[in-house]
Amino acid sequence: MSQLEPGSRVNMHLRVHSVRVTRERRRYDGGALNRVAECIVGDQYGCIKMMAFDDQLEIVREGAVICIRNAHANVVKEHMRIEVDRWAKVEASTESIPTVNQQNNASDIAYELVVKQ
């Protein structure tokens, strides 16, 4: 967790601490239900917010250990979070991660865009 930097790609094993569904709505044509959740994930070194979508929520459940590959660490509204886009993958992991260190939350750090001249 300590190596995360804004704009970098993320490949790591993490434990899901909490999942909070922030949006849930049917498609305009009455089809599938679209869901978006804000999750707190981490390991013994720290934690960060992660956005999970639709089918990913079957894997990303509270207490589960997941492996994320090729995800983005982006800054949104001045705070960093992990976003799993269409080129990234989330899958269940067999790694042993006993706890999530909530004292070191990388999403609590406020980032500011500075223009170099």
Side-chain angles (χ1 to χ4, degrees), residues 12-109:
M12 58 180 48
H13 297 272
L14 301 165
R15 176 174 289 281
V16 180
H17 181 319
S18 65
V19 177
R20 183 175 60 94
V21 176
T22 57
R23 187 175 63 206
E24 190 171 75
R25 69 173 87 154
R26 286 240 172 251
R27 285 181 36 145
Y28 65 91
D29 60 357
L33 182 69
N34 292 333
R35 297 181 297 165
V36 178
E38 186 177 83
C39 313
I40 301 293
V41 297
D43 56 16
Q44 61 270 27
Y45 303 109
C47 64
I48 191 168
K49 285 183 185 175
M50 181 181 91
M51 300 306 291
F53 303 92
D54 299 328
D55 295 337
Q56 297 169 355
L57 292 172
E58 301 300 322
I59 298 167
V60 180
R61 296 182 311 270
E62 287 187 26
V65 177
I66 59 171
C67 174
I68 57 173
R69 290 188 280 162
N70 208 26
H72 273 288
N74 287 333
V75 175
V76 177
K77 295 182 182 176
E78 298 180 353
H79 297 279
M80 188 166 49
R81 70 178 180 194
I82 295 175
E83 294 181 343
V84 180
D85 58 12
R86 65 177 145 177
W87 294 283
K89 185 165 185 151
V90 175
E91 55 192 9
S93 176
T94 58
E95 290 286 318
S96 175
I97 300 174
T99 60
V100 174
N101 180 358
Q102 295 181 7
Q103 304 301 318
N104 185 17
N105 190 338
S107 295
D108 288 343
I109 301 169

